[in-house]
Amino acid sequence: MTRARAALPGKLGEYFDNRQEPGRAGLPVMSVTQHDGLVLRETIDRRTESTLAPEQHLLVRPGDIAYNMMRMWQGACGLADRDAMVSPAYVVLRPKPNVDPTFAYQLFKSERVLHLLWAYSHGLTEDRLRLYFDDFSSIPLTLPELPLQRSIGRVLQHWDTAIAQAQRLGELRERRLYGLLAHLIGMHQSGPLEPGWSREELGSLSQFKSGGTPDRSRAAFWGGDVPWVSAKDLKSFDLATSVEQLTSEGAAKITRVKAGAVLILVPGMGLFKDLPIGVAARELTFNQDVKALLPRRGLDPRFLAYALKASRKTLMDRVDSAGHGTGRLATDVLEGLPITFPAPPEQQTIVRVLDAATQELRQVSRLVEALAKEKRAALQRLLPVDGFDHSADCSRVGALA
């Protein structure tokens, strides 16, 4: 078998030009995102109205790659699938005939190339780093020949398609969960009480506990087996572990709660986007950004947690700013929240239905994580750190296709 001819050492400027054509009236305006590539500006939450005329924007054409100069080293780039306009603060890469755009877009998401993009960005601090086209074009990188680029690009695109489909399924599962929450609990939260249902303020239904942080300079307090829940752990509804853990000695310095406590984030940047809530699945501790609610007898902890999720919009409307982009949910707001609840047997019936929907959503989330992990492994195998050995890459593509 004839060995594929190795590519000569090159630089990214040999594969891309800088497109600087002005935009045109009637074309959609798109923004670059870190995870979703190029998206319509009107679809993103942080959208701002542009005062620029169309010709003050930059034109992108199908196959172009636009990137955010300040975030390219974090993977903030997008592959255009249509004629469109982007901010003049972006750089638009026009691929030359020797590069496949789909392959290049995947390449710019790989760890090795992200490190190079960071190394060639300039700025006094990381939040000021910029990658201008001249610096981008000088990055030393040799790409495989075009047929192999296309093969690798197609293989990696399979994972993107699968991940996007799983994420869509996750969105549908989440919508179903919140629909059930609204139907089973939310519709009872205001208005006349139905037979068998009661309503009281949260402050009279549960005891509030505050968390804390043991002395970080004391090594004897950290690295044990007692969960210490913080904002990053409240992505899970059932809380059995945490990113950081305490020793028994460290846990003794702060509040410790038993299984069944309902935990809710009260100050945090994420409060403007969501209301993180979880239920302790075991005895644990928590930091000062979290409140623990200990339900009184006769109120199922999981029902209470779901009732809070059903009141998500009401509570998020009461979040105020604590400065520096941090949201704050005041304790008196929580204490005054009306909670409507049925007798314990009906609470448990509702919890079983909502637990099943939560489990379905959790399974899809795990599928998304597994597919993303598989793609990262494929990137590593197909885009090795030491450069492209074409004969080896051909066998890798065949194995992963």
Side-chain angles (χ1 to χ4, degrees):
M1 179 173 134
T2 304
R3 183 179 175 86
R5 179 170 55 86
L8 297 174
K11 296 182 179 180
L12 284 177
E14 298 172 23
Y15 302 100
F16 294 95
D17 288 323
N18 185 8
R19 187 187 297 280
Q20 294 183 304
E21 298 176 45
R24 299 195 308 265
L27 292 178
V29 180
M30 307 195 79
S31 293
V32 170
T33 64
Q34 186 171 334
H35 300 292
D36 299 319
L38 273 174
V39 300
L40 292 170
R41 180 183 290 174
E42 63 197 36
T43 64
I44 57 179
D45 293 336
R46 67 177 186 277
R47 64 182 182 272
T48 55
E49 295 299 324
S50 174
T51 59
L52 298 177
E55 62 273 11
Q56 293 176 296
H57 289 79
L58 290 175
L59 178 70
V60 291
R61 293 188 176 278
D64 286 353
I65 295 175
Y67 74 78
N68 182 332
M69 283 194 291
M70 295 183 67
R71 293 287 178 262
M72 181 58 163
W73 60 278
Q74 294 176 318
C77 62
L79 177 62
D81 62 358
R82 70 192 85 173
D83 283 351
M85 297 184 293
V86 296
S87 166
Y90 295 159
V91 172
V92 178
L93 303 175
R94 181 175 66 85
K96 295 181 179 181
N98 60 347
V99 63
D100 178 69
T102 300
F103 168 82
Y105 174 67
Q106 298 288 348
L107 185 72
F108 296 151
K109 299 288 186 176
S110 68
E111 290 184 15
R112 174 204 178 196
V113 175
L114 285 174
H115 178 76
L116 285 170
L117 295 170
W118 168 82
Y120 279 75
S121 297
H122 297 284
L124 295 177
T125 59
E126 283 203 340
D127 61 345
R128 296 290 181 183
L129 290 178
R130 285 179 170 82
L131 181 65
Y132 296 97
F133 178 75
D134 287 348
D135 296 310
F136 169 88
S137 63
S138 67
I139 294 176
L141 197 63
T142 299
L143 307 190
E145 294 173 356
L146 198 55
L148 183 55
Q149 291 183 36
R150 289 172 178 154
S151 297
I152 294 174
R154 281 195 300 269
V155 168
L156 294 174
Q157 215 168 22
H158 289 321
W159 270 281
D160 285 346
T161 300
I163 291 169
Q165 290 173 341
Q167 288 173 331
R168 174 60 179 159
L169 180 59
E171 291 168 3
L172 293 173
R173 290 285 186 266
E174 185 175 37
R175 193 179 303 168
R176 179 173 180 269
L177 172 60
Y178 277 99
L180 288 169
L181 283 167
H183 178 71
L184 297 174
I185 301 178
M187 65 182 293
H188 300 282
Q189 294 295 70
S190 60
L193 285 173
E194 294 193 14
W197 286 68
S198 304
R199 182 178 297 138
E200 295 184 43
E201 291 186 347
L202 181 59
S204 65
L205 290 172
S206 57
Q207 182 182 4
F208 282 51
K209 293 285 188 179
S210 298
T213 301
D215 188 345
R216 285 194 174 274
S217 67
R218 297 285 299 275
F221 290 170
W222 298 89
D225 58 3
V226 181
W228 180 69
V229 174
S230 64
K232 50 182 169 279
D233 303 302
L234 281 171
K235 296 173 184 175
S236 299
F237 187 65
D238 291 283
L239 302 167
T241 187
S242 58
V243 175
E244 294 184 89
Q245 302 208 1
L246 304 178
T247 62
S248 295
E249 186 180 356
K253 300 296 181 182
I254 58 175
T255 304
R256 195 165 180 163
V257 293
K258 295 182 178 180
V262 177
L263 279 70
I264 180 169
L265 186 70
V266 285
M269 297 180 69
L271 282 177
F272 291 116
K273 295 182 179 179
D274 199 5
L275 187 67
I277 295 168
V279 182
R282 54 166 291 186
E283 191 173 277
L284 50 73
T285 62
F286 51 100
N287 78 356
Q288 60 275 6
D289 292 341
V290 177
K291 287 284 186 188
L293 313 182
L294 311 183
R296 76 180 191 194
R297 191 177 183 86
L299 184 61
D300 187 289
R302 298 183 75 80
F303 179 88
L304 176 58
Y306 284 128
L308 289 170
K309 289 177 79 72
S311 301
R312 173 174 173 263
K313 186 178 185 307
T314 299
L315 288 171
M316 289 183 65
D317 287 344
R318 302 291 301 276
V319 171
D320 56 26
S321 177
H324 305 291
T326 300
R328 184 180 70 96
L329 184 57
T331 300
D332 60 346
V333 169
L334 273 175
E335 290 176 336
L337 179 71
I339 299 290
T340 309
F341 55 96
E346 189 171 352
Q347 290 180 39
Q348 291 159 14
T349 299
I350 290 172
V351 165
R352 281 195 292 272
V353 174
L354 294 173
D355 276 350
T358 299
Q359 179 63 19
E360 289 177 356
L361 177 58
R362 185 182 298 121
Q363 288 172 344
V364 176
S365 298
R366 288 172 179 164
L367 174 61
V368 172
E369 291 172 4
L371 289 170
K373 185 177 180 179
E374 286 181 7
K375 187 193 172 184
R376 287 194 297 272
L379 275 169
Q380 183 132 3
R381 293 174 66 186
L382 294 174
L383 309 175
V385 173
D386 295 328
F388 291 98
D389 177 341
H390 292 195
S391 59
D393 288 337
C394 287
S395 63
R396 290 188 181 97
V397 173
L400 291 169

